[in-house]
Amino acid sequence: MDSILVTGNGALSGEIPIAGAKNTCLKLMCAALLTEDPLTLTNVPRLSDVTTLSTLLESLGCEVALLQNGHAMVLSAAEIKSRVAHYDIVRKLRASFNVLGPLIGRCGEAVVSLPGGCAIGARKVDLHLDALEKMGAEIELKEGYVHAAAPRGLRGARIDFPFVSVGATENTLCAAVLAKGTTVIRNAAREPDTVALAECLQAMGAQIDGAGTGEIVVDGVDQLHGTTHRVIADRIELGTYMIAPAIAGGSVELIGGERRLVGALADKLEEAGIEVGDTSRGLTVRRGNAPVKAVDVATAPFPGFPTDLQAQMMALMCTAEGTSVLEETIFENRFMHAPELIRMGAEIDVHGGHATVTGVERLKGAPVMATDLRASVSLILAGLAAEGETVVSRVYHLDRGYERLEEKLRGCGALVERVEAA
Ligand code: EPZ
């Protein structure tokens, strides 16, 4: 299995282009199932998760054609040939559970595998299923699969989510656009990914109000048509590369970055003494000579601090001046990077949903590995600031969510290379 070798090399300087957002792109791809017409997506990130979902969509009868060297795709679901999303794919990519809403919305029937376990938490799908039941679907769980049926079609309903779920909001939204009548989704996710999905659905003919607020109202229509949609910049990739110069020193321009996508992170970086500014092409992040100050962080749904940047922020806090407390409120098991950072000399005490980090002067390179995407990238960031060599194994996690990671960091002077397994 390949690994990434990072050799701490001091301050970074240069620019990094930000790719299209993985988590937006995956949901837009699922939405292609809602229409017989082609849906064209541009600014598509070239990631293994996108390939995995393409395979699933093809198994349902959706044709997927790649253009522009994989940076654009045309999805044509003229005919849905299968309504079954199999376990072999859904277990690899939880986002594939989001074919459920489009399939039942368009076909009145869907059989989708339950995603199964996940390294960062239980990640139940009860909210998705409760919402569909309220819309008139009959749901049965058999042999690890969700069997959903609405032979007379779905009908609009009032959905009050007990807490914010990005996936459940998006699945419900996709189911509601072709339902009869009005659906009101309360306590809806306000993530930019969800707003982008709503905008794409609107361009396909859906009637949606309130995306980006806690209440989304959908008036069902009879059918949707095709459109062309550009995937927004990946705010988590952006945030990750904003933390790179903060941890290693120096200054980096993030091309295509927008502060509105990462407001909570930008505020925390500024509180820690890092400069964040706008440029004509994106954002710039600069660490001056002063030490980074410890800041406390609690994850929360958007516009709060994203759970997907908690691991990277922890890496930064490992060499900050003082003690910080990081609170994870979204997933119950998302501190798996802590023991690996400790192997690099960090001082971290995890207690329940909190991690107390006491900054040390310098991290030390070590062989490390992680069990999820964001944890893996936090170890790369830590390696940038460490003395000596850090070898991060299980690189396939990184390939799920970061396109050309080594190249992008090398472009700013970092010593990062992929070591192929013998
Ligand atoms: C999305 O996951 C993202 N994935 C995650 O990104 C991200 O961490 C997460 O939102 C939170 O921002 C994609 O968009 C593909 P949730 P999702 O439903 O939709 C619980 C990454 O690194 N819950 O908002 O699965 C759940 O267990 C990934 O790119 C239920 O209990 O997240 C969690 O504790 C990882 N029942 C909380 O809600 C449900 O039915 C929020 O999860 C649904 C969720």
Side-chain angles (χ1 to χ4, degrees):
M1 217 176 283
D2 294 358
S3 49
I4 301 263
L5 170 65
V6 188
T7 310
N9 187 36
L12 303 178
S13 169
E15 58 184 56
I16 296 182
I18 302 304
K22 167 179 83 83
N23 289 344
T24 307
C25 185
L26 296 173
K27 308 306 171 53
L28 294 170
M29 290 170 70
C30 294
L33 295 172
L34 284 162
T35 173
E36 291 174 9
D37 295 345
L39 172 64
T40 302
L41 300 178
T42 62
N43 200 31
V44 170
R46 289 188 304 189
L47 300 170
S48 62
D49 274 6
V50 170
T51 311
T52 306
L53 185 59
S54 298
T55 307
L56 175 66
L57 294 175
E58 282 169 342
S59 78
L60 304 174
C62 177
E63 286 170 18
V64 183
L66 295 180
L67 308 172
Q68 296 172 14
N69 213 5
H71 284 304
M73 61 167 56
V74 183
L75 302 118
S76 308
E79 194 192 336
I80 305 284
K81 295 190 176 126
S82 162
R83 291 145 193 203
V84 186
H86 287 285
Y87 178 58
D88 340 340
I89 301 185
V90 182
R91 76 183 164 82
K92 285 193 211 145
L93 174 64
R94 301 184 64 85
S96 38
F97 195 72
N98 276 60
V99 299
L100 176 60
L103 275 181
I104 187 156
R106 173 146 166 213
C107 312
E109 187 191 18
V111 179
V112 179
S113 170
L114 284 165
C118 178
I120 61 177
R123 301 188 76 180
K124 296 196 290 179
V125 291
D126 52 332
L127 266 51
H128 301 237
L129 303 184
D130 289 351
L132 290 178
E133 276 184 331
K134 288 214 173 73
M135 296 173 75
E138 286 160 22
I139 308 272
E140 256 192 288
L141 300 183
K142 280 193 286 196
E143 292 160 357
Y145 280 75
V146 173
H147 292 246
R152 285 177 303 284
L154 295 172
R155 51 172 194 272
R158 190 193 171 98
I159 315 291
D160 276 291
F161 284 127
F163 51 88
V164 173
S165 161
V166 176
T169 301
E170 293 171 343
N171 233 341
T172 307
L173 182 59
C174 284
V177 288
L178 292 179
K180 290 187 195 76
T182 303
T183 300
V184 180
I185 307 172
R186 287 252 175 105
N187 214 0
R190 291 186 279 161
E191 266 62 8
D193 315 273
T194 312
V195 176
L197 173 64
E199 284 170 356
C200 179
L201 291 168
Q202 280 170 320
M204 293 165 74
Q207 299 288 324
I208 301 168
D209 263 333
T213 73
E215 183 172 299
I216 302 178
V217 180
V218 186
D219 284 314
V221 295
D222 290 339
Q223 59 178 26
L224 297 185
H225 52 77
T227 191
T228 297
H229 184 95
R230 182 180 164 83
V231 180
I232 53 168
D234 193 313
R235 66 199 167 95
I236 306 302
E237 189 198 28
L238 170 63
T240 301
Y241 291 132
M242 287 169 74
I243 293 174
I247 196 165
S251 166
V252 171
E253 186 177 9
L254 293 317
I255 311 298
E258 289 177 72
R259 191 170 176 129
R260 71 174 177 96
L261 297 173
V262 283
L265 171 68
D267 291 350
K268 282 292 166 189
L269 289 178
E270 285 173 342
E271 201 183 318
I274 309 292
E275 289 166 28
V276 180
D278 295 317
T279 70
S280 58
R281 301 189 299 168
L283 286 179
T284 180
V285 176
R286 180 176 168 276
R287 182 176 131 190
N289 293 329
V292 176
K293 289 190 273 262
V295 290
D296 295 339
V297 170
T299 63
F302 193 85
F305 192 96
T307 172
D308 292 345
L309 287 172
Q310 177 261 110
Q312 300 88 316
M313 193 66 183
M314 186 184 286
L316 176 62
M317 289 299 106
C318 286
T319 52
E321 198 175 72
T323 297
S324 56
V325 177
L326 288 97
E327 184 184 0
E328 174 55 59
T329 69
I330 310 288
F331 293 110
E332 62 275 24
N333 190 28
R334 210 173 193 184
F335 283 136
M336 283 149 326
H337 38 284
E340 300 300 307
L341 291 168
I342 290 170
R343 300 193 64 249
M344 297 176 71
E347 281 184 26
I348 306 170
D349 181 23
V350 174
H351 34 99
H354 296 77
T356 303
V357 183
T358 306
V360 297
E361 200 150 314
R362 191 90 204 260
L363 294 173
K364 303 242 175 1
V368 286
M369 67 172 161
T371 42
D372 84 278
L373 169 60
R374 311 304 173 186
S376 301
V377 86
S378 76
L379 301 174
I380 306 262
L381 292 176
L384 296 175
E387 188 184 322
E389 291 185 348
T390 299
V391 180
V392 183
S393 51
R394 298 201 177 162
V395 167
Y396 58 88
H397 288 301
L398 289 165
D399 294 336
R400 293 186 61 172
Y402 291 91
E403 183 184 327
R404 300 188 295 114
L405 172 118
E406 311 92 280
E407 220 179 286
K408 289 186 182 186
L409 286 171
R410 274 205 303 264
C412 295
L415 294 179
V416 181
E417 60 183 286
R418 186 173 293 242
V419 182
E420 286 182 18

